[in-house]
Amino acid sequence: MRAITNHSFLIYHHRRPSVASAVIRSLRHRIPLLSPSIVKVKARSTSTSCAEVDNTRAGRPGSLASPPAHFDVSKKLDVNPPKGTRDFSPEDMRLRNWLFQNFKEVSQSFGFEEVDFPVLESEALFIRKAGEEIRDQLYCFEDRGNRRVALRPELTPSLARLVIQKGKSVSLPLKWFTIGQCWRYERMTRGRRREHYQWNMDIIGVPTVTAEAELIYSIVTFFKRIGITASDVGFKISSRKVLQEVLRRYSIPENLFGRVCVIIDKLEKIPIDDMKKELRSAELSEEAVEELLQILSVKSLAKLEEKLGDSVEALSDLKQLFSLAEKYGYSDWIQFDASIVRGLAYYTGIVFEGFDREGKLRAICGGGRYDRLLSTFGGDDLPACGFGFGDAVIVELLKERKLLPELSAHIQNIICSLGQDLQGAASLVAARLREKGQSVDLVLENKPLKWVFKRAARINAERLIIVGSEEWQKGMVGIKILSSGEQYEVKVDELE
């Protein structure tokens, strides 16, 4: 056996140290060159640190391990976040909170309830359907229990899992929304990151296009709230059933449907010759490819009816949706575009995308009907539809239109003491105001008033409360209303 001279062994024991001692004696007998100084015994607990993970596990993907031997801890740390991710400074958090609050208030105004799911899910949840781009974009690994897990790249599969889990314990229809963080390893462009937050609204249990009409109207309502108009943004709408009808007419097997959808979703991203080549590789005849591309160029329902006839189910659904849009009052926001299919394989009917009319940005949001999603995960199918709306693209659009809100810091009170011996008194005043529900920034050090006024301006404080020696002896504090400059004294017990 090769002599071991440069490695140490970490032997764990739980309640029987004698067993660990026996293991050590055995090791020393079998490996004579093993010095007693490099065999260590440590009680294992549930709080084992990364540095204490033994060498037998350190090489397994997803395991926690000590830094590699060559890791130079003296090297200056790169302070930038990992590529494709973001930090949120206070001003960024104010914008994010404002955006999320609008997502939430719109959802709740439409009668939706909030849900959430783990950021970490089983890898199998996202790869049930073969041939999807998403398979190659997963952040996935094996955890310590030898389970394949992934950071969620989207929210709909998690929704499906929860609906199946709840089963008949919930009454239909379900109207749920969530705002969650998602991860995809993909090429980054403006408005596209590897980490982003997504607003989803989903309706489970409604088979008619009234559900899609309501969902699109909820997005329109959100746009209106933040100052976006129909001249800024539109929705391209189609139906997967249009594509199904073309494939049926050319006897294309149904199992190729998902693959064809993924190819067509690249229509504006790759040259038309490459598109044709990919479609032919998906077993479509030359005639079918040409017919399909002609259908995909159709931009009106009248033209679609001329091509497919008036008995096609997709046409009926689309006509009803456009009629409902007129009743809601958002007809000027939507347009038919047969090329919209959405890349995810689980869509089955109406599909839609929100787009920037100036064409500077990628799709703002997208969604559609997915009536056969639940059976993909072993559940009973239910009629369902929903949408996903990312946080990154909408922020870029607001920047383009100069519609970003001015969200400065704001606090009701800033309190300072005029002497270190009065710090306790200032703390008492702060505590009383906070108990009454007011926000307070307490100056924790003995700072000059010039510094305090600068800080008050930076945090946009409404009033300054000064705890001075003479005033405090009288049971009072000084007040300065910062917007008007008004000054007065008030008893501490009467401070509101």
Side-chain angles (χ1 to χ4, degrees):
M1 181 177 291
R2 187 175 57 188
I4 300 176
T5 58
N6 296 321
H7 296 79
S8 63
F9 289 80
L10 190 59
I11 299 175
Y12 293 96
H13 68 82
H14 290 275
R15 299 175 184 172
R16 300 178 63 188
S18 59
V19 174
S21 299
V23 172
I24 294 171
R25 287 195 298 273
S26 175
L27 282 171
R28 289 172 179 161
H29 174 73
R30 295 171 61 187
I31 312 174
L33 295 180
L34 189 63
S35 166
S37 65
I38 61 173
V39 178
K40 303 175 184 178
V41 179
K42 182 174 182 66
R44 191 173 191 172
S45 71
T46 57
S47 60
T48 304
S49 71
C50 296
E52 294 167 355
V53 177
D54 61 86
N55 291 333
T56 62
R57 303 184 64 134
R60 194 173 73 230
S63 296
L64 298 175
S66 303
H70 64 272
F71 185 79
D72 184 1
V73 294
S74 65
K75 186 178 180 180
K76 187 175 181 181
L77 182 69
D78 181 359
V79 296
N80 294 308
K83 189 174 182 180
T85 67
R86 297 168 286 177
D87 292 314
F88 288 91
S89 62
E91 54 269 24
D92 295 325
M93 280 301 298
R94 287 195 289 272
L95 177 61
R96 192 178 98 178
N97 289 338
W98 170 83
L99 186 65
F100 288 10
Q101 189 62 32
N102 276 286
F103 287 159
K104 183 174 291 191
E105 288 177 2
V106 168
S107 301
Q108 291 172 339
S109 73
F110 277 69
F112 283 64
E113 295 182 286
E114 188 169 13
V115 295
D116 200 2
F117 325 102
V119 173
L120 191 69
E121 290 272 21
S122 165
E123 182 185 52
L125 188 67
F126 304 111
I127 59 174
R128 302 285 291 204
K129 294 242 180 186
E132 294 186 31
E133 183 183 26
I134 203 170
R135 292 171 66 101
D136 300 322
Q137 297 176 346
L138 287 178
Y139 279 91
C140 52
F141 57 96
E142 186 177 280
D143 70 7
R144 286 183 167 186
N146 299 313
R147 294 170 290 257
R148 293 295 303 175
V149 293
L151 296 175
R152 62 187 182 197
E154 56 164 329
L155 299 168
T156 306
S158 297
L159 170 80
R161 178 184 55 72
L162 182 59
V163 171
I164 294 170
Q165 179 198 120
K166 290 296 182 182
K168 295 182 180 179
S169 67
V170 292
S171 59
L172 301 178
L174 301 176
K175 297 169 73 176
W176 287 351
F177 81 95
T178 188
I179 304 164
Q181 191 178 34
C182 299
W183 299 80
R184 287 195 187 195
Y185 192 87
E186 59 182 343
R187 186 175 63 86
M188 291 179 296
T189 59
R190 186 181 179 192
R192 183 192 291 266
R193 296 184 175 91
R194 291 173 179 170
E195 163 271 329
H196 72 281
Y197 286 86
Q198 188 164 298
W199 170 39
N200 274 34
M201 290 178 68
D202 296 89
I203 299 175
I204 313 292
V206 177
T208 63
V209 297
T210 53
E212 287 94 323
E214 179 85 340
L215 288 172
I216 295 171
Y217 185 51
S218 69
I219 305 173
V220 170
T221 301
F222 166 77
F223 281 139
K224 289 180 176 179
R225 282 176 66 109
I226 63 173
I228 298 293
T229 69
S231 62
D232 300 310
V233 165
F235 292 88
K236 295 177 181 178
I237 297 176
S238 187
S239 173
R240 282 283 184 91
K241 293 176 184 178
V242 172
L243 179 59
Q244 285 177 318
E245 176 63 21
V246 175
L247 297 183
R248 183 190 65 78
R249 293 184 180 190
Y250 286 90
S251 302
I252 306 300
E254 189 175 339
N255 63 345
L256 293 176
F257 181 67
R259 182 179 174 187
V260 173
C261 288
V262 172
I263 296 170
I264 292 172
D265 195 45
K266 303 175 185 177
L267 188 58
E268 295 181 356
K269 305 168 189 173
I270 64 174
I272 193 66
D273 288 341
D274 291 346
M275 172 73 67
K276 290 179 179 181
K277 183 178 179 180
E278 288 199 33
L279 289 171
R280 286 193 293 267
S281 71
E283 301 178 34
L284 271 67
S285 67
E286 192 67 39
E287 187 181 4
V289 169
E290 292 301 326
E291 174 70 11
L292 183 57
L293 292 176
Q294 283 187 31
I295 293 293
L296 294 177
S297 67
V298 172
K299 306 296 182 186
S300 74
L301 290 180
K303 188 69 173 177
L304 182 68
E305 185 171 359
E306 182 182 311
K307 287 277 189 182
L308 299 181
D310 59 3
S311 61
V312 176
E313 185 180 1
L315 194 62
S316 175
D317 290 346
L318 289 163
K319 283 182 175 179
Q320 185 183 0
L321 178 60
F322 276 74
S323 175
L324 287 167
E326 188 175 347
K327 300 294 192 300
Y328 274 112
Y330 63 82
S331 292
D332 53 340
W333 289 76
I334 65 174
Q335 63 190 61
F336 175 73
D337 187 331
S339 67
I340 299 300
V341 296
R342 305 289 295 158
L344 294 168
Y346 52 68
Y347 289 116
T348 56
I350 295 290
V351 284
F352 56 87
E353 284 186 359
F355 69 98
D356 161 32
R357 291 195 187 274
E358 290 187 1
K360 295 181 179 180
L361 303 169
R362 61 185 292 264
I364 300 168
C365 59
R369 180 159 290 275
Y370 51 91
D371 287 348
R372 292 196 295 272
L373 178 64
L374 299 186
S375 61
T376 305
F377 305 107
D380 296 325
D381 279 328
L382 290 170
C385 60
F387 70 80
F389 191 121
D391 69 320
V393 180
I394 188 60
V395 169
E396 293 298 321
L397 181 65
L398 290 170
K399 288 178 182 176
E400 280 284 332
R401 302 298 189 272
K402 295 181 171 50
L403 291 172
L404 280 176
E406 292 185 10
L407 301 167
S408 58
H410 176 262
I411 200 157
Q412 290 170 290
N413 307 279
I414 182 169
I415 300 177
C416 74
S417 61
L418 300 182
Q420 194 64 38
D421 58 327
L422 292 170
Q423 187 65 51
S427 300
L428 184 150
V429 174
R432 288 190 178 183
L433 287 174
R434 286 166 180 159
E435 286 171 0
K436 294 179 180 182
Q438 293 197 36
S439 56
V440 176
D441 181 29
L442 176 62
V443 178
L444 300 173
E445 301 173 276
N446 190 24
K447 294 286 189 180
L449 278 177
K450 183 178 180 181
W451 183 95
V452 175
F453 277 108
K454 283 184 178 179
R455 179 165 179 81
R458 187 174 67 79
I459 64 175
N460 199 24
E462 294 178 13
R463 65 179 179 177
L464 167 63
I465 299 176
I466 301 174
V467 181
S469 179
E470 292 184 8
E471 293 84 358
W472 188 252
Q473 288 178 7
K474 297 184 292 184
M476 305 183 79
V477 292
I479 304 288
K480 183 177 180 70
I481 306 300
L482 296 170
S483 59
S484 64
E486 179 187 1
Q487 300 184 71
Y488 56 91
E489 294 180 358
V490 65
K491 291 184 178 179
V492 174
D493 293 339
E494 298 174 0
L495 187 61
E496 295 291 339

